[in-house]
Amino acid sequence: MSTVLKAGLVGLGSMGRHHARVLAGLEGVELVGVVDPMGDKNGWAQGAPVLSTVEELIALGIDYAVVACPTALHEEVGLQLADAGVSALIEKPLADTVEGARRLVEAFESRGLVAGVGHIERCNPALLSLRARLEAGELGDVYQVVTRRQGPFPHRIADVGVVKDLATHDIDLTGWVTGQTYTSIAAHTVSKSGRPHEDMVSAVGQLSDGTMVNHLVNWLSPLKERFTSVTGERGCFIADTLTADLTFHSNAAVTTEWEALRAFRGVSEGDMIRYAIPKREPLLVEHELFRDAVQGEPADICTLRQGLRTVEVAASVLESATSSTTVLIPADRDQKQEPRR
């Protein structure tokens, strides 16, 4: 690349340290500073100077910054960067409130700045392949999307519950792989760990084309699971985003002679295919895309407006759980989804 971008990082915690590692080795980018009031006691800054404030980072003349501080600080830090004319990649969720997310969208869009949200599942090899196959029409009509995201409680999370921290992954990836938006959601939550926020959610929703969605997300399981299945006219895709594996279970093409089974007018088991797909690190892919976007090149990043939509749906999940009602989600007329072919 002809121009080396100066990048900064805000937050050097469990996620920030991985951003620092990738930024330090990213072609065409120089990591010039890291902000963390706690310093760098673990040596995660990759040799970059560690600063105490965002103002100090901006003073270094950075082209963009990665925001990986606690969710409750996303709005404050993002607005500082926007006011200074600095592009930003903000970790998901975009903000801890819908209002905060909207203010961030307005701040960056009004200044014509490149900004994105770190919904990293969009860069998972299994989901990238799944999305491409859905767009190619390999599944035919899509009937249902089911996700399960569960595991032990992460002690790094203190400011939000499982809906905003984990379920936002599934909300975003569902809309992204299908090219649809949520129109309604009904959810139940529980809090069993003694914290003020929920640590388990079960939700059922509907997308704009009528597809049914089911999400099960929790911090209460000793089993770590990252499961996405999409069922449709021709079978079912299953993505394991922990291992980046994608399999396809097809509907049987052979007519059965067993009368008792033939009487059931559903589908039956067909072939199973496990795809061999390139497996690059999702975080590296995410950073390459954002770097390209800042350089003015075409790049499929998660925009702030798409990140706002995910925050809105997450808020509807919590509203439904509190009110014990199904919440209707108005269409976002400014949101442009890619059509599923």
Side-chain angles (χ1 to χ4, degrees):
M1 293 183 180
S2 58
T3 303
V4 175
L5 297 172
K6 291 183 178 181
L9 172 64
V10 181
L12 203 54
S14 58
M15 193 64 201
R17 63 187 174 117
H18 294 296
H19 283 293
R21 170 181 56 81
V22 173
L23 282 168
L26 188 61
E27 182 184 357
V29 172
E30 179 187 3
L31 178 60
V32 298
V34 177
V35 176
D36 197 309
M38 303 298 291
D40 184 23
K41 57 185 177 181
N42 296 303
W44 290 339
Q46 304 293 318
V50 180
L51 313 170
S52 299
T53 67
V54 176
E55 290 83 0
E56 293 176 81
L57 183 64
I58 292 171
L60 295 178
I62 55 174
D63 296 296
Y64 74 93
V66 177
V67 179
C69 53
T71 303
L73 299 176
H74 284 187
E75 179 186 357
E76 175 186 344
V77 173
L79 292 179
Q80 284 182 276
L81 294 169
D83 286 342
V86 176
S87 296
L89 174 62
I90 303 173
E91 260 298 342
K92 66 85 206 162
L94 175 57
D96 60 343
T97 66
V98 172
E99 295 74 20
R102 287 175 179 158
R103 284 189 285 269
L104 284 170
V105 170
E106 171 61 24
F108 282 93
E109 286 189 349
S110 64
R111 293 166 174 82
L113 296 169
V114 177
V117 185
H119 279 291
I120 196 170
E121 292 287 43
R122 294 187 177 210
C123 300
N124 188 285
L127 294 178
L128 282 166
S129 180
L130 170 57
R131 182 184 189 227
R133 294 177 185 281
L134 292 180
E135 289 181 338
E138 292 185 17
L139 195 60
D141 289 340
V142 174
Y143 304 150
Q144 182 184 47
V145 179
V146 176
T147 70
R148 297 196 302 270
R149 187 175 298 267
Q150 50 189 347
F153 172 68
H155 294 286
R156 63 181 175 83
I157 301 298
D159 55 343
V160 294
V162 76
V163 170
K164 291 181 179 178
D165 181 66
L166 277 191
T168 47
H169 276 301
D170 295 316
I171 292 168
D172 179 75
L173 75 84
T174 296
W176 178 71
V177 299
T178 62
Q180 305 299 315
T181 58
Y182 285 76
T183 58
S184 68
I185 201 81
H188 295 281
T189 60
V190 296
S191 182
K192 297 292 186 180
S193 61
R195 300 171 64 254
H197 302 291
E198 79 289 343
D199 41 39
M200 176 179 282
V201 60
S202 178
V204 177
Q206 189 172 52
L207 302 182
S208 47
D209 66 347
T211 297
M212 177 189 297
V213 298
N214 300 76
H215 302 307
L216 177 62
V217 189
N218 76 69
W219 280 329
L220 300 174
S221 170
L223 167 68
K224 188 171 184 180
E225 184 180 32
R226 302 289 184 266
F227 171 95
T228 300
S229 73
V230 182
T231 302
E233 181 182 5
R234 296 174 185 152
C236 176
F237 284 111
I238 295 179
D240 182 338
T241 53
L242 282 177
T243 60
D245 288 326
L246 179 67
T247 57
F248 176 59
H249 298 257
S250 68
N251 296 340
V254 178
T255 303
T256 180
E257 296 181 4
W258 187 356
E259 184 177 353
L261 289 182
R262 192 168 64 244
F264 174 65
R265 295 182 180 274
V267 299
S268 56
E269 184 179 3
D271 296 329
M272 185 187 80
I273 302 172
R274 180 177 177 275
Y275 297 104
I277 51 180
K279 296 183 180 180
R280 303 184 67 222
E281 182 185 2
L283 189 61
L284 174 58
V285 174
E286 180 180 84
H287 274 276
E288 289 176 342
L289 289 172
F290 193 74
R291 173 203 62 196
D292 293 348
V294 175
Q295 290 276 24
E297 300 175 18
D300 185 16
I301 65 172
C302 177
T303 67
L304 293 198
R305 194 163 289 278
Q306 291 168 340
L308 164 61
R309 182 64 175 180
T310 295
V311 173
E312 290 174 337
V313 176
S316 297
V317 169
L318 293 172
E319 179 186 347
S320 172
T322 301
S323 63
S324 298
T325 61
T326 297
V327 175
L328 301 181
I329 305 172
D332 183 350
R333 294 178 183 176
D334 296 324
Q335 177 87 5
K336 294 182 179 179
Q337 292 284 345
E338 294 187 15
R340 184 178 67 226
R341 294 186 287 274

